[in-house]
Structure formats: C-alpha cells, structure tokens
Amino acid sequence: MTRVWLVDRDVDSRNTVTMTYATPDGGRAFTRQAALDRLATRDGPTAAVDVEDDRLDPVDDPEIAERYAAEAERVAETHDPEDVL
C-alpha cells in the first residue's frame, strides 16, 4: 500500500468529479471518479488515501509530475490524511 495525496480534481458537464491522487514525488498517480451528488450526500474526498501499488499509474510527463509533487507536498503539510477537502 502506498499513501497518495489529492493533487487535482475536475468536474465535467455530467457532474462527475475526477480526483487525482499522487505519490509525494509526483511519479505515480491514482484517479478516482464519483458523481457530484454522491460526494455531496457523503463525505467528500479526503486529503490522502492508501492505494495498492498495482493501482498506481506512472506519470510520464515531467512537468505534470513536478506539479503533482508540489501539490502533494502542500496538501501533506497542511492537512491530515483523513481531512475532507
């Protein structure tokens, strides 16, 4: 298991929220989707989740990996893993 931190979220025209969590170095990421109304009726996404290593995808773009690493560091420094963001 690897702890990953919320680094990005996007809402599309169908009200689907795509949340991207990344490792602290930004080199691997996990993407999760949920309906916006589901998140509104339950707890929203947490600052971090623990994910099986085989569910992590490599981040091939160095600029995106750098951005993810910076955001993961910021979130980890300012939030506990179970904080709802």
Side-chain angles (χ1 to χ4, degrees):
M1 291 284 252
T2 298
R3 176 156 290 163
V4 291
W5 296 88
L6 184 64
V7 295
D8 189 49
R9 77 177 120 196
D10 184 53
V11 180
D12 67 16
S13 62
R14 298 171 303 156
N15 286 331
T16 300
V17 181
T18 301
M19 295 156 283
T20 302
Y21 291 84
T23 55
D25 67 358
R28 295 182 297 157
F30 168 72
T31 301
R32 177 179 153 220
Q33 291 187 318
L36 184 60
D37 59 343
R38 179 173 173 229
L39 293 175
T41 59
R42 297 180 176 214
D43 289 336
T46 57
V49 293
D50 294 326
V51 178
E52 295 289 338
D53 290 341
D54 63 350
R55 296 185 71 195
L56 295 169
D57 295 317
V59 178
D60 296 324
D61 185 321
E63 289 181 17
I64 292 174
E66 186 177 321
R67 181 170 58 89
Y68 284 177
E71 185 63 8
E73 180 180 356
R74 185 191 72 76
V75 172
E77 287 178 353
T78 58
H79 296 283
D80 290 329
E82 66 278 353
D83 286 351
V84 176
L85 300 182

